[in-house]
Amino acid sequence: MTDTQEIARHGPLFIVFNGGSGRRDAEEEKQTISRVLQEGGRQFEFLQCEGSEKIDTLARRAVDQATARRGVVVAAGGDGTINAVANAVLGSGCPFGVIPQGTFNYFGRDNAISQDSGQAAQVLLRGRVAPVQAGKVNGRLFLVNASVGLYPKLLEDREAWKQQFGRSRLVAFVSGMATLLQARGQLDLRIESAGQSVSLRTPTLFVGNNRLQLVQAGINMQQTDAMEQGQLAAVAVRPIGTLALFGLLLRGVLGRLGEAENIRSFSFRRLTVTPRRMKRIKVATDGEIVWMQTPLVFEVAPEPLLLLVPMPQDEAQIA
């Protein structure tokens, strides 16, 4: 058994817990996780946001404690929480565990980790360490996707709708339709990869690092296999009108996006994107939106995450 695997199986667990993720009762989820870990005889500690404290701060504290005590850092929350904790863990050498609690949970589902907190906690007790690829844009980590243009706007509006109507896939779809009704403008991009440079005009550029999300959208298998080959997958929409955008949204929901004539997709390890006449641009990474200086550099992170995943016989059914 390797040293990392030994730590993963027996080291103390430092659980960064976001009680605001998903639609579950936070205390009930903590009790479920605690019961499983106590029955497994494992030491653990919850680190939960208090007052104005941020997830990033808790994540760095968890990494410091795990490094000092030969432990495991765990993220309990949605894809945004998992992203924030993974960003602190990457490159530290610490094993990383997740207890998915968000609405979509692409990262956990893609790695066969159950959305049931009790089952996910069992993985922390008897899982195995597997290297998992991460992406970066201008140094900022993403595990599921990163994007510019219309997609960040969709995410911003979706979050506002969730605040008013609650978290569900239906709310996400309806808010997406509302955003498209107001969609305006195109991005003029210069993209460079592997020594080649082309101009691209598009309402949105989407970079994926999650095979499940791409498969469910219906992106062709050549791109969905990119992650298995150590690459990222880019999807760009050709300049189209609002009605055609509605059609793409519907195709994405139905898992038929790859059949659309207005979609261009390709894979890469490193991609430089320079928007015309823009020194800063909004970028969405795993649902979190930030302003970044241009040009944007999308790339595969040089080191993988050391993720705790289920043993083959314990893998969750992906849905």
Side-chain angles (χ1 to χ4, degrees):
M1 184 179 292
T2 65
D3 188 54
T4 302
Q5 184 66 61
E6 179 72 20
I7 293 171
R9 281 290 183 92
H10 303 291
L13 304 168
F14 299 94
I15 306 169
V16 180
F17 187 85
N18 183 359
S21 295
R23 294 165 289 174
R24 309 176 185 180
D25 181 270
E27 285 306 313
E28 184 177 325
E29 292 301 309
K30 285 178 68 174
Q31 289 174 14
T32 297
I33 297 166
S34 297
R35 184 183 69 253
V36 171
L37 299 181
Q38 286 169 352
E39 290 174 354
R42 194 69 169 271
Q43 292 183 2
F44 64 94
E45 177 183 334
F46 283 105
L47 291 82
Q48 189 167 353
C49 289
E50 300 291 346
S52 60
E53 195 168 29
K54 295 182 178 179
I55 290 289
D56 293 355
T57 304
L58 287 180
R60 288 192 295 271
R61 189 189 307 164
V63 170
D64 289 343
Q65 293 183 1
T67 301
R69 296 175 55 188
R70 291 172 55 83
V72 180
V73 180
V74 180
D79 285 329
T81 300
I82 292 171
N83 172 292
V85 180
N87 191 59
V89 172
L90 189 68
S92 69
C94 295
F96 178 53
V98 299
I99 299 178
Q101 296 189 322
T103 304
F104 292 95
N105 293 317
Y106 283 117
F107 182 73
R109 291 161 61 206
D110 196 37
N111 289 287
I113 299 172
S114 174
Q115 291 179 259
D116 177 88
S117 293
Q119 292 182 35
Q122 289 286 354
V123 176
L124 304 178
L125 297 175
R126 58 169 185 260
R128 60 187 176 89
V129 174
V132 173
Q133 174 177 292
K136 286 191 171 183
V137 51
N138 285 16
R140 185 181 177 92
L141 176 141
F142 62 94
L143 299 175
V144 180
N145 61 60
S147 58
V148 295
L150 181 59
Y151 194 75
K153 176 62 175 170
L154 284 166
L155 294 178
E156 278 188 318
D157 291 350
R158 186 178 77 188
E159 193 59 33
W161 277 63
K162 283 180 179 179
Q163 295 296 326
Q164 186 172 359
F165 300 108
R167 295 176 179 270
S168 73
R169 293 169 190 262
L170 177 60
V171 168
F173 178 72
V174 175
S175 71
M177 293 181 64
T179 303
L180 295 185
L181 282 172
Q182 306 172 55
R184 298 289 184 274
Q186 306 285 332
L187 294 173
D188 289 310
L189 306 176
R190 190 74 178 169
I191 61 174
E192 302 171 63
S193 182
Q196 296 185 328
S197 178
V198 298
S199 295
L200 179 67
R201 185 171 171 80
T202 178
T204 193
L205 175 68
F206 176 96
V207 176
N209 185 46
N210 185 277
R211 191 175 187 275
L212 175 64
Q213 186 181 46
L214 295 174
V215 166
Q216 290 191 340
I219 301 299
N220 67 64
M221 289 302 296
Q222 182 179 352
Q223 308 314 332
T224 56
D225 287 341
M227 278 66 76
E228 301 293 330
Q229 302 161 9
Q231 296 182 311
L232 300 170
V235 180
V237 179
R238 301 183 193 279
I240 54 177
T242 301
L243 187 60
L245 282 172
F246 274 119
L248 287 181
L249 178 63
L250 184 58
R251 281 181 180 273
V253 171
L254 297 176
R256 297 171 55 190
L257 198 56
E259 300 173 10
E261 297 178 356
N262 295 314
I263 289 292
R264 175 181 179 179
S265 61
F266 56 94
S267 56
F268 64 90
R269 282 193 60 83
R270 180 183 173 91
L271 180 73
T272 301
V273 178
T274 307
R276 186 180 177 188
R277 296 189 301 271
M278 298 178 71
K279 293 184 178 180
R280 294 199 315 155
I281 190 171
K282 280 185 179 181
V283 181
T285 55
D286 294 349
E288 302 297 317
I289 299 169
V290 296
W291 284 96
M292 289 189 181
Q293 298 291 124
T294 63
L296 303 175
V297 178
F298 297 87
E299 60 189 337
V300 175
E303 63 277 289
L305 281 168
L306 304 176
L307 182 67
L308 268 169
V309 300
M311 299 298 284
Q313 64 270 25
D314 298 327
E315 289 183 354
Q317 194 72 28
I318 294 175

